[in-house]
Amino acid sequence: METKCERALVLHGGGSAGNAWEIGIVAGLFDAGLDVTQADLIIGTSAGSTAAAQITSANPTELFAAILSAAPLQQTGPDGPASARVPIGPAADHMEITSRIIAAAENAVDMRRRMGAAALDMDAASDGSGQTRWRAVVAARLPNQHWPEQLLRITAVDAHTGEPVVFDRHSGVDLVDAVAASTANGFGVPPYSIGESRYIDGGYRRNENADLAAGYARVLVLSPFGGRSRHPPEWGMQLAAQIDELRARGSRVQTIFPDGDSLNAFGANMMDLSTRPPAAQAGYHQGRALATQLIEFWR
């Protein structure tokens, strides 16, 4: 069957807050009459891969309501409650480590290799239980653990080689494993094993990974980080470069970045699970407000 190349939805990472904000945006659009969950292609990266798997298997309004009704979570560390974390190795500042790797890398290819090597080194002394725990955490977040019929692409990076990987329903990989691999940043969550390979966060491939929507007529990008990138501009990792490439090939592109209320809801730590309800609520209001101007673009 020939795949339609009309509408693509791109969901970027952004931790617990970013995931909730994306669910809120999609639910707000949905309740205002614009259903973006029926995109011909959905691309999910890191926390966006979780959101992509969620919105292709459950009603967005119900997903949004579930976030708001979740029991309050007591913060016990930088990544949320202990029961929701999979710590590895010594406590380390993720941002500091990755910033040093980016600064030392010659280019994006070198950066991916270094990220993978550092993640594997940090995990070498662990007892290996992180894999099982992280899979259980991811599985519990997905309403349906089977790939949807529509085209869903989930990004990751091979920790051993630094090569980018894109999973879909034809990859021979379970959906839970694909999402677990895409969300394994390598420093808070260990590199994730699938077969003989181990994987780290899909955001190391290329921030939003919107370029994977090349050839689609309309591309809607949700970016909790507002298109920002920590990488040197000449590497071309940033969303602006991806949009230029898409438009050069004939795609129309629209972006949704967090507004002021959403940024306030994110707080200082987007991995803090307590930010989820306010981030989802802010995203919902933003989505409803944007629906009218996006309907003509999407339809």
Side-chain angles (χ1 to χ4, degrees):
M1 181 183 297
E2 184 176 350
T3 302
K4 287 180 63 179
C5 293
E6 288 296 324
R7 300 171 300 179
L9 175 65
V10 179
L11 303 174
H12 184 29
S16 298
N19 169 271
W21 175 78
E22 289 178 331
I23 295 297
I25 288 284
V26 172
L29 293 172
F30 182 84
D31 286 352
L34 179 58
D35 184 6
V36 297
T37 70
Q38 297 303 309
D40 302 302
L41 165 67
I42 297 181
I43 298 165
T45 294
S46 194
S49 72
T50 307
Q54 290 168 327
I55 67 171
T56 53
S57 59
N59 180 286
T61 305
E62 294 174 357
L63 291 170
F64 172 65
I67 294 174
L68 298 187
S69 64
L73 296 164
Q74 296 301 315
Q75 182 74 355
T76 59
D79 298 318
S83 61
R85 289 182 286 136
V86 185
I88 63 168
D93 187 327
H94 169 261
M95 292 294 289
E96 181 181 344
I97 294 172
T98 54
S99 292
R100 287 201 303 265
I101 293 172
I102 293 170
E106 296 179 2
N107 50 42
V109 174
D110 185 36
M111 181 272 296
R112 285 191 287 268
R113 291 197 195 103
R114 289 172 181 261
M115 288 289 186
L120 291 169
D121 285 346
M122 288 189 68
D123 189 47
S126 73
D127 61 8
S129 63
Q131 168 99 9
T132 301
R133 285 181 287 152
W134 186 240
R135 192 183 197 282
V137 168
V138 171
R141 293 172 176 169
L142 305 187
N144 188 326
Q145 298 182 13
H146 301 287
W147 287 93
E149 288 299 320
Q150 72 198 102
L151 184 54
L152 170 60
R153 291 175 178 159
I154 292 177
T155 63
V157 169
D158 189 306
H160 290 289
T161 67
E163 289 296 315
V165 178
V166 180
F167 298 113
D168 61 25
R169 67 194 307 265
H170 303 294
S171 299
V173 172
D174 287 348
L175 178 61
V176 174
D177 290 324
V179 173
S182 187
T183 52
N185 62 30
F187 303 97
V189 178
Y192 191 82
S193 298
I194 301 177
E196 299 299 315
S197 299
R198 301 194 73 188
Y199 299 94
I200 57 174
D201 199 298
Y204 296 130
R205 176 193 176 274
R206 203 175 182 190
N207 298 151
E208 286 80 2
N209 292 303
D211 58 297
L212 293 175
Y216 282 75
R218 286 156 289 170
V219 182
L220 178 63
V221 184
L222 274 60
S223 177
F225 291 122
R228 299 189 304 277
S229 176
R230 298 165 60 203
H231 307 96
E234 59 269 23
W235 290 6
M237 298 279 283
Q238 68 273 22
L239 178 59
Q242 299 168 47
I243 290 175
D244 286 345
E245 294 168 17
L246 289 170
R247 288 176 173 162
R249 296 188 57 175
S251 297
R252 295 172 60 199
V253 184
Q254 289 280 355
T255 59
I256 300 180
F257 297 158
D259 60 12
D261 289 341
S262 296
L263 291 174
N264 288 336
F266 291 172
N269 179 11
M270 294 178 71
M271 296 303 294
D272 182 347
L273 295 179
S274 68
T275 63
R276 288 182 58 76
Q281 189 76 67
Y284 181 83
H285 291 310
Q286 187 178 354
R288 285 193 67 98
L290 291 172
T292 300
Q293 68 187 70
L294 288 174
I295 284 177
E296 181 180 354
F297 164 77
W298 192 249
R299 293 179 178 172

